[in-house]
Amino acid sequence: SSFGLTTAMYPPAIKHGFSARGATNMKRNSIKSLYATTIAFAALTGSSFASALPVSLSPAEDFNQFIFNDFNASNSDTEGRVAAGGNVTLSSYSVNSNNTGNPALVVGGNLNFSNGQVNGDAEVGGSISGSSGNITGSVSNSVSIDFAAAESYFVQLSSELSARDATGTTGYNPQGDFTYTGSGANGSADVQTFNINESDWESATRFDLVDVDSDDTVILNISGSVINFNAGGGNYYGGNANGSALQDHAANILYNFYEATEITLVGGIWGSILAPLASVDCLYGQFNGQVIANEWACGSVGSGNIEGHYLPFNNVESTAEPTEVSEPASLAILAAGLAGLVLSRRKINATK
């Protein structure tokens, strides 16, 4: 398998990735140079780069949790793979309990592991300490993910998604039922985008979807810097006589917390979470999806614990019409990417 920057970071004709173990540093640098050039050119032209392509979580592909910095967890488990760019502290914790692939754990910094098990291989960039922590597979000190580049991508993606026009409406009744009403159930795979403010989100007690097909991608753009999933006693399963539950659409739901710096997870949460600026804490419950965030602090003093259930984001936007981007801007982005690729190859050839 491959890790790092892939399809969604470049125009469709330019696809690169980091090989898990075979990529040389020179190739890594050329890829990062290409990515930086393409994003920078997109910013200069004012074009909407990420929204011109499918909503891809590919840098975090196949990971249950993908955290840019520190990861602290205890007394629970993550069914899928975990990656963190900083230090990782695990206490009485299981990783990759469903054996979803390898490496099961990727740690950019140091690993402190006491009591528990990592089911599969581990990559640890720093030291390993602790007692009674069992890693069933091999351990490598070579880390195959460029976390800084991935973080840049997800920050950009989150911002781009937040700027999308809403395709549906939102509202709630006095009983606290919050309803997302889509643009229509038409039997085809569409992208349904909803924009929600923090106060409305936290006032709800139940969430439901109406006029949305079962295979639609659902983007929930939620504003606000401090998010509490249980402020209103929210039922994230949802479902009533007039709409279907979020649980029914969980594999296609992406919560985009584009402003949040603090998030508290509580209860049963269905769908994947994109929160590139946030430190995530928890009290209890389970999340069913992927989590991409700046920091995971569910094992810190005063916090609770939560189960991570592996349900990868299944975006269908690749089969839908792309978001409209002006032709000159699109061509400029493509040209910048090609130029970066040519320059990087010349550098590689010059060293041979």
Side-chain angles (χ1 to χ4, degrees), residues 180-240:
Y180 305 100
T181 302
S183 57
N186 54 18
S188 63
D190 301 312
V191 180
Q192 305 277 1
T193 302
F194 301 91
N195 297 328
I196 308 109
N197 64 57
E198 177 187 355
S199 60
D200 286 348
W201 167 266
E202 294 186 343
S203 297
T205 57
R206 184 168 64 184
F207 298 85
D208 301 293
L209 286 167
V210 177
D211 291 335
V212 173
D213 284 315
S214 61
D215 57 354
D216 284 353
T217 295
V218 178
I219 306 297
L220 306 180
N221 289 318
I222 302 165
S223 65
S225 59
V226 179
I227 301 293
N228 186 341
F229 262 75
N230 201 43
N235 173 5
Y236 299 94
Y237 294 86
N240 59 28

Side-chain angles (χ1 to χ4, degrees), residues 30-48:
S30 70
I31 292 169
K32 287 191 284 184
S33 175
L34 170 59
Y35 168 58
T37 302
T38 306
I39 290 293
F41 207 100
L44 288 172
T45 58
S47 59
S48 182

Side-chain angles (χ1 to χ4, degrees), residues 1 14 44 78 84 143-144 155 204 210-211 221 224 232 241 247 249 284 292 294 307 322:
S1 59
I14 307 174
L44 288 172
T78 299
V143 175
S144 58
V155 169
V210 177
D211 291 335
N221 289 318
Q247 180 179 1
H249 297 261
Y284 59 85
I292 299 165
N294 182 58
E307 295 179 6

Side-chain angles (χ1 to χ4, degrees), residues 63 65-76 78 80-96 104-118 121-131 133-135 143 145 147 293-300:
F63 284 93
Q65 291 161 277
F66 192 96
I67 308 300
F68 311 138
N69 291 294
D70 293 347
F71 184 96
N72 192 328
S74 62
N75 301 306
S76 191
T78 299
R81 301 159 65 196
V82 172
N87 297 323
V88 170
T89 300
L90 302 175
S91 177
S92 300
Y93 203 84
S94 174
V95 174
N96 199 31
L105 177 65
V106 180
V107 181
N110 301 324
L111 171 63
N112 186 307
F113 187 19
S114 298
N115 300 313
Q117 183 162 291
V118 172
D121 300 338
E123 297 177 359
V124 182
S127 63
I128 300 177
S129 61
S131 61
N134 180 37
I135 299 174
V143 175
I145 297 174
F147 285 98
N294 182 58
E295 181 183 24
W296 185 264
C298 283
S300 57

